[in-house]
Amino acid sequence: MSNLRIHPVLRDIAAVFTAAGKEVYLVGGAVRDLLLGRDSADWDLSTNARPEEVMGLFRKVIATGIKHGTVTIRWKGISLEVTTFRTESAYSDGRRPDQVRYAATIAEDLSRRDFTMNAAAVRLPDGLLSDPFGGRDDIKRRIIRCVGAAEERFAEDGLRPLRALRFASQLGFDLDRATAGAIHGALPTTAKVAPERIRDELDKIIASPNPLRAFRLMEETEMLHLLLPELAACRGVEQGGYHHFDVLDHSFLACDWAAKKGFSKEVRLAALLHDTGKPLVRRKKNPDETPGDSPSGGGAYTFYNHERESGKLAFEVMSRFRYPNAVTEKVLRLVREHMFHYEENWTDAAVRRFIIRAGTDLIPELTQLHLADTAGTTGAESDPAALLPLLDRIEAVLEKGKAISLKDLAVNGRDLIALGVAPGKYVGIILNELLDAVIEDPALNSREKLLEIAGNITTRYRKASR
Ligand code: ATP
Ligand code: MG
């Protein structure tokens, strides 16, 4: 077998190990990529040198995961994770290995790895392939197969079934039958896995260009019911009207489309979760309601306020998987504001109200979510040009520089207090009333006019409180 071509940087690093009489191999995703003929973004190395020894060999090393035998080398601006040969140790809690035991050989190290495609190694610096489980053939046939008996490997670590689905999405590979067949039975083990580890896999599924593939497998194996019951409950929730799909397929397709367009993680998550409230609020439409007058699009059902319920469920999902607050907040805003139906007869005031509700910073992503939502409704490509009229109006309104927030008003709280308003909540109430007035009629935004209106409002409150 001919040796694989090795990047010069890897050869330089390998020389340091060889000079110290140690073995070093390229392992993991980088080998997979090499066999696929792709460039790899990150390199993982495996060695018989102990972590302390590796630390002694290089000038820039960080003890990133010393408990697991991993250190990180910095070399000419590149980071490489170097892990000492390990054996599979028990995962008695299904979460993390109980303790790390070092192995003597690369063969032993490879046997603890999850899938055959991840269990090949390339010896450095000569590029000799070590492939005891037929990873190269499986890669050629585009198959994800467990190393050894799938039931056992999944029972050791409940994250592996989800990794299998994630790789299916990322690589467009199929699951080997035995591997696929073992997923359902492993769900109780997956249930014990730390939520952060699950989140990282979900993120990789959503970041892939083909999340739909993993979503379908998740549903078939009932991984979806375990991890995202809110979504599983959307299966069979028909929508009627112009909707071609039930709520679950709609959500899957919206997210998949957003992924294919390269939209942000928040838009993808919002696309997946934006309609989860629908099963909770679906009502059969009254016969006297005119078709087409509701967000359900003229079907037999209404889904009033589903965006609020979806927001609550999205919050539960995002909290459960410990998403960072900033990500959660943005996803929730997108979900809550996703229901807008622009029509040309919107007044400038309506456009300003829309900008205020959404927040100027959110508008680009909100329009992307809208496009994904539309694409997921019919399964057809949605046309970004459809939103240009709204975007033009928003730009025009913003360009006029008219007031869209309290700080744009020509008066402030101090002015009101000088007018005799008692400091406290009334100041806020009156300022908001003034903003409403200015949104309706921007010409009112002068000090003189606003003070006059404020005077009228205070008189009104005084009378009302008598
Ligand atoms: P990528 O980095 O592109 O996500 P990868 O294959 O490098 O893909 P990592 O999570 O970085 O995946 O893991 C590196 C290697 O470690 C894997 O290729 C696999 O050999 C092994 N590995 C990772 N996680 C597990 C696990 N849960 N069980 C068994 N082996 C694992
Ligand atoms: Mg990796």
Side-chain angles (χ1 to χ4, degrees), residues 27-30 32 40 42-44 81 163 166-167 204:
V27 291
R32 209 175 54 227
S40 203
D42 63 357
W43 287 321
D44 294 329
E81 286 204 345
R163 282 173 60 85
R166 181 259 281 193
F167 283 120
K204 286 179 182 173

Side-chain angles (χ1 to χ4, degrees), residues 202-395:
L202 292 176
D203 274 351
K204 286 179 182 173
I205 288 172
I206 287 172
S208 84
N210 194 3
L212 187 59
R213 194 180 186 94
F215 293 155
R216 295 273 181 240
L217 291 166
M218 283 177 81
E219 190 185 11
E220 274 168 33
T221 56
E222 297 189 1
M223 178 73 80
L224 189 72
H225 304 67
L226 172 69
L227 300 181
L228 297 162
E230 298 84 355
L231 273 172
C234 296
R235 174 55 78 219
V237 179
E238 297 299 336
Q239 318 196 62
Y242 49 64
H243 275 276
H244 291 205
F245 306 105
D246 71 1
V247 178
L248 185 58
D249 279 335
H250 167 68
S251 309
F252 283 171
L253 289 169
C255 178
D256 193 71
W257 193 85
K260 289 188 166 60
K261 292 291 159 186
F263 292 162
S264 69
K265 166 158 134 180
E266 287 84 356
V267 172
R268 297 178 199 204
L269 283 165
L272 187 63
L273 300 172
H274 74 287
D275 274 352
T276 43
K278 277 189 166 176
L280 298 171
V281 302
R282 186 172 78 146
R283 298 273 175 277
K284 263 227 143 59
K285 203 182 276 183
N286 285 332
D288 49 327
E289 267 178 285
T290 351
D293 70 351
S294 82
S296 69
Y301 304 100
T302 63
F303 296 96
Y304 291 118
N305 277 327
H306 74 271
E307 62 276 25
R308 215 169 48 203
E309 296 302 321
S310 302
K312 288 185 203 158
L313 293 180
F315 179 71
E316 279 177 31
V317 171
M318 310 273 304
S319 312
R320 191 158 74 232
F321 293 116
R322 315 268 200 277
Y323 273 93
N325 289 341
V327 178
T328 304
E329 268 162 38
K330 191 185 260 187
V331 171
L332 296 193
R333 284 173 66 201
L334 287 165
V335 169
R336 290 194 193 116
E337 300 303 331
H338 84 268
M339 289 298 294
F340 62 89
H341 293 274
Y342 174 69
E343 286 172 15
E344 264 167 56
N345 62 7
W346 277 21
T347 59
D348 277 5
V351 176
R352 278 192 290 274
R353 264 185 256 115
F354 172 73
I355 300 171
I356 291 166
R357 272 179 61 98
T360 29
D361 62 312
L362 198 68
I363 286 171
E365 281 165 296
L366 197 55
T367 53
Q368 292 174 335
L369 175 60
H370 191 87
L371 293 173
D373 193 1
T374 313
T377 299
T378 58
E381 192 56 17
S382 65
D383 179 8
L387 279 170
L388 287 179
L390 172 60
L391 294 177
D392 288 345
R393 285 290 297 284
I394 289 172
E395 203 179 304

Side-chain angles (χ1 to χ4, degrees), residues 149-163:
E151 283 81 8
E152 285 170 28
R153 306 317 310 279
F154 287 171
E156 286 162 359
D157 177 3
L159 190 68
R160 289 174 187 159
L162 188 58
R163 282 173 60 85

